[in-house]
Amino acid sequence: MAQFRGWLVLALVAVLAGCSGNQTKPSLSSNTGKLIHGVQYEQVPLEPQEQLSIIKTISTQVGKPYVWGAQSPSRGFDCSGLLVWSYSQLGLRGFRYQSKLEGDVTADALYKYNTYPLTDMVQLREGDWIFFDPKSQGYETHVAVFSHIDGQGRVWVWDASSTAGRTSQRPVPNFWGKNPVFGRPMKLVPATMGGVAVGTHIGPVLVSN
């Protein structure tokens, strides 16, 4: 049985946002994903340069169609698929989902297991994640990458959106009406100092038989 050591439970401030309209991706079952046997990992926030690299990678896909469940330049992207693909292009090691390392996760799982929560919008830096729950459904249905706030106070993001129908950089209409919450993207790295995590982290984590 997969076991976790050193849980640090994320405080969930709210539940988030919508890239697929009324659709949600199938939930990940307990027997899916790739186990990292006997190796201890911790989660740490991405460095600012890594976040900018992800934005640069996403910018190469502007105009690609929005396709629910897709995560490739040949097919298109949905909101979480765009981030899954951009992570893989930078060689980052997948995502945490409960006690497993997954190659594909939903927006909801990105927030719950792979995001360091930010309590206020003023903490946002370019490349942070914004999640939305526009229908107040109580879970994350959309994720976007923060770009900037313009002189008119509009919040610009990079995302694959069913509203826009494509991957784009765009201002989010009715931003505050969509129940936004904010977070810093995390990455999995081998645990250091005998499993004692250094800096801001979720972990250390041990996944084994």
Side-chain angles (χ1 to χ4, degrees), residues 2-73:
Q3 295 178 338
F4 261 114
R5 295 178 186 172
W7 278 77
L8 179 64
V9 179
L10 284 175
L12 297 178
V13 179
V15 226
L16 323 162
C19 68
S20 55
N22 293 328
Q23 294 175 305
T24 55
K25 284 187 177 180
S27 60
L28 297 170
S29 65
S30 59
N31 60 0
T32 61
K34 179 181 178 184
L35 290 177
I36 306 302
H37 299 290
V39 178
Q40 200 168 28
Y41 287 88
E42 62 186 353
Q43 285 179 297
V44 297
L46 265 61
E47 298 293 335
Q49 190 56 48
E50 290 175 309
Q51 292 179 262
L52 293 179
S53 293
I54 284 179
I55 288 176
K56 183 176 180 181
T57 300
I58 289 173
S59 71
T60 67
Q61 302 304 306
V62 166
K64 293 295 175 66
Y66 171 87
V67 178
W68 179 74
Q71 51 177 267
S72 70

Side-chain angles (χ1 to χ4, degrees), residues 22 31 34 58 61 75 86 102 114 120 124 129 136 141 158-159 197:
N22 293 328
N31 60 0
K34 179 181 178 184
I58 289 173
Q61 302 304 306
R75 288 190 60 210
S86 63
E102 293 282 355
N114 299 276
D120 196 289
L124 282 175
W129 289 345
S136 301
T141 58
W158 300 88
D159 67 354

Side-chain angles (χ1 to χ4, degrees), residues 86-116:
S86 63
Y87 260 59
S88 70
Q89 297 307 295
L90 296 180
L92 297 175
R93 183 185 288 279
F95 303 89
R96 173 184 157 193
Y97 178 74
Q98 295 182 355
S99 61
K100 294 193 176 185
L101 176 72
E102 293 282 355
D104 184 20
V105 288
T106 63
D108 184 73
L110 283 174
Y111 182 71
K112 288 180 178 176
Y113 301 108
N114 299 276
T115 300
Y116 182 78

